[in-house]
């Protein structure tokens, strides 16, 4: 009860501000079984876009997602603070993209579900890939590459898995591949690789079924990409065994049907 009271106080303050400051990363996202970031009630998904006003920054944009009380939080406010991953990745030495992903998902900006995962998957893969490259190899410019992954990942809207038939976490594997291969729409071999890794990640996600879980789909996409990069690029990142530690805060968790269930 005390945490909920604190939540409402913070949310009320954020609503009065035009734009939340980065250092004021509010606690409204640290809710048990989070759904709506403002009140915690379930989200509803509409069939058509409706013009909505963000309760935090008051930006208006079309969306299909709001909570049952009518609260809407835009993607910019939903991912406020995600820029912190740049520094995290630049200072990371691990070759294990799952371990890197876990660090990013444990940051205050990251929720149980949300479009931030469309960036985090690509960023984790890019960082682990760079660390796994031999010392005498040509390494990507990490700062520029991370910014590019973030820019492209932010263009993939929340709910893409349901409304576009393409999970944003899986698309993020293609973003990663396109950045490291300098792929463009006119490329040949790299164009093939970018689309193929995305397709394989999407297949892995699809075969495990719905409803969506951004954690599960991120794990599946990364593990698929790790195998793909080893096979096609000859770079071997570390491949971790995954056990989910967040199932208790996912209202749509599929339990034992999830390949990462702690019950296995």
């Amino acid at each position: 009860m005390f945490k909920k009271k604190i939540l409402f106080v913070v949310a009320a303050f954020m609503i009065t501000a035009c734009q939340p400051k980065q250092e004021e990363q509010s606690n409204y996202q640290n809710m048990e079984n989070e759904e709506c970031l403002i009140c915690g009630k379930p989200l509803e998904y509409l069939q058509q876009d409706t013009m909505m006003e963000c309760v935090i920054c008051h930006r208006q944009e079309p969306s299909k997602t709001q909570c049952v009380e009518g609260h809407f939080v835009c993607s910019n406010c939903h991912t406020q603070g995600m820029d912190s991953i740049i520094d995290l990745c630049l200072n990371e030495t691990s070759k294990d993209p799952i371990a890197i992903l876990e660090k990013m998902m444990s940051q205050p900006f990251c929720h149980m579900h949300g479009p931030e995962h469309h960036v985090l998957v690509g960023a984790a893969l890019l960082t682990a890939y760079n660390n796994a490259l031999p010392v005498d190899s040509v390494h990507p410019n990490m700062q520029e590459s991370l910014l590019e992954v973030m820019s492209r990942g932010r263009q993939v809207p929340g709910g893409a898995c349901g409304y576009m038939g393409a999970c944003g976490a899986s698309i993020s594997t293609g973003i990663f591949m396109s950045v490291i291969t300098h792929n463009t729409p006119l490329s040949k071999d790299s164009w093939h690789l970018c689309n193929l890794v995305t397709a394989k990640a999407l297949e892995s996600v699809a075969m495990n079924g719905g409803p969506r879980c951004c954690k599960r789909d991120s794990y599946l996409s990364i593990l698929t990409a790790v195998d793909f990069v080893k096979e096609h690029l000859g770079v071997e990142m570390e491949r971790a065994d995954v056990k989910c530690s967040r199932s208790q805060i996912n209202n749509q968790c599929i339990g034992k049907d999830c390949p990462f269930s702690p019950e296995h």
Side-chain angles (χ1 to χ4, degrees):
M1 181 62 71
F2 177 75
K3 288 183 178 180
K4 290 186 177 180
K5 288 182 179 179
I6 293 296
L7 172 68
F8 285 117
V9 171
V10 174
F13 172 78
M14 297 295 283
I15 292 171
T16 61
C18 177
Q19 179 70 28
K21 296 178 181 178
Q22 184 164 342
E23 65 267 24
E24 295 173 340
Q25 290 309 305
S26 67
N27 293 323
Y28 66 75
Q29 66 265 52
N30 298 327
M31 302 183 67
E32 293 186 0
N33 292 29
E34 62 179 49
E35 290 286 349
C36 174
L37 301 187
I38 301 302
C39 69
K41 292 188 177 180
L43 300 178
E44 57 183 0
Y45 294 89
L46 312 178
Q47 286 299 314
Q48 295 181 331
D49 276 339
T50 300
M51 189 61 67
M52 300 182 188
E53 180 177 309
C54 176
V55 298
I56 296 176
C57 71
H58 303 293
R59 183 198 313 267
Q60 292 189 349
E61 62 181 48
S63 177
K64 297 181 181 69
T65 308
Q66 64 181 4
C67 89
V68 294
E69 296 295 329
H71 299 130
F72 165 68
V73 178
C74 71
S75 293
N76 283 343
C77 290
H78 195 289
T79 58
Q80 185 73 16
M82 187 167 62
D83 292 354
S84 63
I85 71 168
I86 301 297
D87 186 61
L88 186 155
C89 290
L90 289 176
N91 289 284
E92 180 59 63
T93 60
S94 175
K95 302 175 184 178
D96 178 359
I98 294 292
I100 298 170
L101 177 71
E102 290 287 1
K103 289 183 181 181
M104 292 191 286
M105 292 195 306
S106 297
Q107 298 301 307
F109 71 82
C110 189
H111 311 284
M112 182 63 217
H113 307 292
E116 55 266 41
H117 297 83
H118 306 168
V119 172
L120 301 190
V121 167
L125 285 166
L126 173 65
T127 304
Y129 171 83
N130 178 66
N131 294 336
L133 283 172
V135 176
D136 57 351
S137 297
V138 177
H139 288 247
N141 181 314
M142 282 299 291
Q143 184 169 14
E144 291 182 1
S145 297
L146 284 166
L147 289 171
E148 192 61 31
V149 167
M150 182 174 290
S151 174
R152 298 182 193 185
R154 277 178 161 160
Q155 296 178 52
V156 183
C161 56
Y163 292 119
M164 297 181 176
C167 171
S170 298
I171 293 174
S172 196
T173 66
I175 292 174
F176 151 72
M177 185 63 67
S178 70
V179 168
I180 65 171
T181 61
H182 306 287
N183 186 61
T184 76
L186 300 181
S187 300
K188 184 179 180 181
D189 293 338
S190 59
W191 190 96
H192 162 77
L193 290 175
C194 294
N195 282 274
L196 187 58
V197 70
T198 305
K200 287 184 175 296
L202 283 170
E203 181 181 28
S204 180
V205 167
M207 295 307 292
N208 280 274
R212 64 87 176 90
C213 170
C214 290
K215 308 305 183 192
R216 180 190 71 228
D217 297 345
S218 294
Y219 295 145
L220 289 167
S221 296
I222 282 180
L223 293 174
T224 300
V226 167
D227 292 342
F228 186 91
V229 168
K230 180 181 178 181
E231 177 182 356
H232 293 274
L233 300 182
V235 177
E236 189 168 356
M237 293 178 270
E238 294 178 3
R239 195 182 194 283
D241 292 327
V242 183
K243 288 294 181 183
C244 179
S245 62
R246 298 176 176 86
S247 58
Q248 297 302 314
I249 60 170
N250 180 8
N251 289 337
Q252 291 82 41
C253 179
I254 59 176
K256 293 182 180 179
D257 289 335
C258 175
F260 310 116
S261 172
E263 300 180 52
H264 289 170

